[in-house]
Amino acid sequence: MKYDLLVRYMDAGRVCKERLYEVAEPSQAVRAFALNSDLAASAWLACEVYAPTGELVEKLAYNGRKI
């Protein structure tokens, strides 16, 4: 199944949001996003994982673990 992700993080004191579409492995995508964006745990707010139906499935931390 493919999932859509909504990533929220802090950058220079402001909240930023980015969407990732049709992700097969959400936890791996979250870890890669955090590493590629040089985000630490202190800058990370949350990643919400949504099913194709729009239903919230889970929330992930910057390391890909469920919160």
Side-chain angles (χ1 to χ4, degrees), residues 21-43:
Y21 297 98
E22 297 186 4
V23 175
E25 295 291 332
S27 62
Q28 290 177 358
V30 165
R31 287 193 304 268
F33 181 87
L35 287 172
N36 291 335
S37 302
D38 291 327
L39 295 175
S42 60

Side-chain angles (χ1 to χ4, degrees), residues 35-62:
L35 287 172
N36 291 335
S37 302
D38 291 327
L39 295 175
S42 60
W44 191 264
L45 297 177
C47 175
E48 298 172 347
V49 180
Y50 292 93
T53 59
E55 176 186 354
L56 178 64
V57 176
E58 63 187 359
K59 290 185 180 182
L60 301 174
Y62 79 104

